[in-house]
């Protein structure tokens, strides 16, 4: 007798398994909702946060410290952030980290007699979060990637469907509300912990009509040893970089000189040595990120005295700020019942057009996850028990239900290769110029047409097909937004438009699948007082912004 596929009903479905997802599930459960969390991998070990240590944008509730924290990256982000949201995140992160310390019993180190709470070890952090989530009564479905959302007759989200990898069977979850905490998109670039970050949630949201915001701020590349996938860019602030001939690579650096490294890598290898770290700093580095040194130790390389080759790996919207647009304080999207959190949601509200690993990202995961979980629980309570009996329709298209119109069958591997050929090269994505962006986008549009016409996966292959489709959509939104912003702002650098244009100080919304559109989304004006507070007599230049942020 063949068992029936799993068919579940819940109040809140959380899709994802990283920090944002676990905070969302925890807070929804604490609010009284019945919660299911579905993770593509194993919740607690999969994703970027679980693979390494990370800093947290955590500040004591002191007005002067809070002001300093908010001002520190405004210029670097191109003045696209929002002070109200920054203050909210600082408050929520403070409470969330303290809850992790007390209820989660996370072993924060003691420095000078005080608990130091501005960083966590990813593996231990996520282990504790899984424990907290399970104790709250959340049902966790591991190795159960979601492939599509479900909708009701009025267009509201009504659950999701996916595939249980270990059982090799489809499943469905009817839900009153859904939280997308599926992470960003790193395009399968090989970055440690990011193999699950393929933009799945963005595609599913767009199929229901949700918009993206800040997708031009999606070209984050991180420095990594050539022989490993671990990115820890902060450590390279202690590095000297060299050309193949042994001469110093002038201007190269982890903060302001990555473009120098990228240009050089186009035609020769780049080497580095962490020779600016003294003995005390070296000890702290080994303690703070032990897995950074594992490969070096195995290979007999002392990175503090010996040169080693480096590369740069694309981390896309995992470290970039673009993502699903949120429309209210509880991180709701424009689709009824659908919420977004963490790297899946835009971080522009607190970072503008620039961010890095950890810090603001970690704080945003805690805060947005909390608000999305609470908002989803409230929405589910208002909807009531009738939600379980709603007729539902599967919303997934690309990779699941090809049109067959004038196309040939295409495989997911071919699609991934085609997308990577346009988004991984430094001269296309990092060192942006219309002469390369326009043909790259045209090629991606062609790939999308092939995807819509002929890409179809069943069973576990449906997961891979949807990943390929999501990466294609993600890349098209990125380059469409990049061409719609003819200036340099935040991490978005245009070689053909190297200056920042005050007339373009707005956010960019982008949406659509077969036909992509963009439109500006205005931000609050920044007056002389805000610039004066940062020490600027007038509008800052890009060099001013980087100089201020680096100091």
């Amino acid at each position: 007798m063949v068992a029936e596929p799993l068919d579940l009903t819940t109040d809140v479905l959380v899709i994802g398994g990283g920090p944002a997802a676990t905070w969302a599930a925890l807070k929804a459960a604490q609010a009284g909702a019945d919660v299911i969390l579905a993770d593509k991998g194993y919740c607690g070990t999969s994703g970027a946060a679980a693979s390494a240590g990370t800093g947290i944008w955590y500040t004591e509730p002191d007005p002067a410290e809070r002001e300093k924290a908010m001002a520190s990256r405004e210029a670097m982000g191109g003045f696209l952030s929002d002070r109200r949201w920054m203050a909210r995140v600082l408050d929520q992160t403070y409470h969330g980290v303290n809850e992790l310390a007390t209820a989660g019993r996370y072993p924060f180190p003691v420095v000078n007699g005080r608990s130091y709470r501005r960083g966590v070890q990813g593996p231990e952090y996520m282990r504790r979060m899984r424990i907290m989530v399970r104790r709250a009564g959340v049902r966790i479905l591991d190795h159960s990637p979601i492939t599509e959302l479900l909708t009701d007759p009025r267009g509201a989200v009504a659950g999701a469907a996916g595939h249980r990898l270990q059982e090799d069977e489809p499943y469905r979850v009817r839900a009153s509300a859904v939280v997308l905490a599926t992470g960003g998109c790193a395009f399968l670039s090989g970055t440690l912990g990011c193999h699950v970050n393929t933009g799945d949630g963005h595609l599913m949201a767009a199929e229901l009509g949700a918009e993206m915001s800040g997708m031009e701020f999606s070209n984050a590349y991180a420095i990594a040893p050539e022989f490993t996938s671990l990115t820890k860019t902060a450590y390279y602030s202690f590095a000297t970089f060299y050309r193949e001939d042994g001469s110093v690579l002038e201007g190269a650096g982890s903060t302001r000189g990555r473009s120098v490294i990228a240009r050089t890598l186009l035609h020769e290898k780049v080497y580095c040595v962490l020779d600016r770290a003294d003995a005390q700093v070296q000890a702290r580095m080994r303690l703070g990120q032990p897995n950074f040194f594992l490969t070096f130790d195995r290979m007999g390389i002392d990175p503090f005295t010996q040169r080693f080759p480096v590369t740069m790996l694309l981390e896309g919207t995992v470290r970039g700020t673009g993502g699903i647009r949120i429309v209210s304080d509880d991180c709701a999207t424009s689709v009824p019942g659908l919420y977004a959190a963490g790297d899946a949601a835009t971080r522009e509200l607190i970072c503008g057009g620039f961010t890095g690993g950890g810090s603001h990202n970690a704080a945003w995961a805690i805060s947005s996850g909390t608000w999305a979980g609470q908002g989803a629980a409230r929405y589910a309570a208002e909807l009531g028990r009738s939600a379980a009996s709603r007729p539902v329709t599967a919303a997934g298209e690309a990779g699941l239900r090809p049109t067959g119109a004038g196309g040939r069958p295409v495989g997911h591997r071919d699609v991934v290769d085609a997308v990577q050929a346009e988004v991984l090269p430094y001269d296309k994505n990092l060192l942006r110029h219309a002469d390369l962006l326009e043909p790259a986008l045209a090629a991606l549009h062609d790939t999308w047409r092939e995807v819509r016409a002929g890409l179809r996966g069943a069973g576990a292959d449906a997961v891979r097909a949807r990943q390929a489709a999501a990466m294609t959509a993600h890349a098209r939104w990125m380059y469409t937004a990049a061409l719609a912003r003819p200036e340099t702002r935040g991490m978005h650098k245009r070689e053909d438009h190297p200056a920042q244009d005050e007339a373009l100080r707005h956010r960019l919304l982008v949406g659509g699948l077969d036909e992509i559109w963009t439109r500006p989304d205005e931000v609050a004006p920044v007056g002389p007082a805000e610039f004066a507070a940062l020490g600027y007599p007038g509008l800052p230049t890009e060099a001013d912004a980087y100089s201020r942020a680096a100091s």
Side-chain angles (χ1 to χ4, degrees), residues 2 37 39 46 84 101 122 197 233 235 249 256 434 456 502 516 537 543 546:
V2 179
L37 181 151
D39 190 8
S46 67
R84 187 180 72 85
N197 298 129
T233 300
Y235 280 11
L249 181 58
R256 286 179 284 169
R456 181 183 183 277
E502 182 57 17
I516 296 180
Y546 275 95

Side-chain angles (χ1 to χ4, degrees), residues 497-551:
H497 296 280
Q500 185 169 287
D501 184 349
E502 182 57 17
L504 297 175
R505 200 184 75 82
H506 54 243
R507 302 186 190 106
L508 269 177
L509 303 184
V510 59
L513 288 167
D514 293 335
E515 298 293 332
I516 296 180
W517 54 264
T518 64
R519 70 170 184 265
D521 185 25
E522 299 302 324
V523 298
V526 176
E530 287 82 358
F531 288 118
L534 289 173
Y536 297 117
L539 292 177
T541 65
E542 184 193 11
D544 291 331
Y546 275 95
S547 177
R548 171 67 65 175
S551 64

Side-chain angles (χ1 to χ4, degrees), residues 124-164:
E124 183 62 17
Y125 173 32
M126 292 313 303
R127 186 181 77 85
R128 303 259 172 177
M129 288 303 300
R130 182 182 176 98
I131 291 171
M132 292 174 69
V133 164
R134 293 190 65 184
R135 286 177 177 170
V138 175
R139 179 172 181 175
I140 298 175
L141 302 178
D142 293 308
H143 306 294
S144 301
I146 293 293
T147 53
E148 62 183 327
L149 295 176
L150 308 175
T151 61
D152 71 8
R154 66 190 181 96
V157 71
H163 194 81
R164 305 194 75 196

Side-chain angles (χ1 to χ4, degrees), residues 98-110:
N98 291 346
E99 181 178 355
L100 178 64
T102 53
R105 298 188 178 183
Y106 183 88
F108 287 102
V110 176

Side-chain angles (χ1 to χ4, degrees), residues 80-139:
L80 298 180
S81 54
D82 185 310
R83 278 291 182 105
R84 187 180 72 85
W85 276 86
M86 295 167 86
R88 291 184 69 220
V89 167
L90 285 170
D91 285 340
Q92 188 59 58
T93 302
Y94 179 76
H95 294 302
V97 171
N98 291 346
E99 181 178 355
L100 178 64
T102 53
R105 298 188 178 183
Y106 183 88
F108 287 102
V110 176
V111 179
N112 296 326
R114 297 189 63 187
S115 177
Y116 184 81
R117 299 184 178 181
R118 294 187 177 181
V120 290
Q121 290 293 335
E124 183 62 17
Y125 173 32
M126 292 313 303
R127 186 181 77 85
R128 303 259 172 177
M129 288 303 300
R130 182 182 176 98
I131 291 171
M132 292 174 69
V133 164
R134 293 190 65 184
R135 286 177 177 170
V138 175
R139 179 172 181 175

Side-chain angles (χ1 to χ4, degrees), residues 22 54 56 334 435 441:
T22 49
T54 182
I56 300 177
S334 57
D435 289 349
L441 180 57

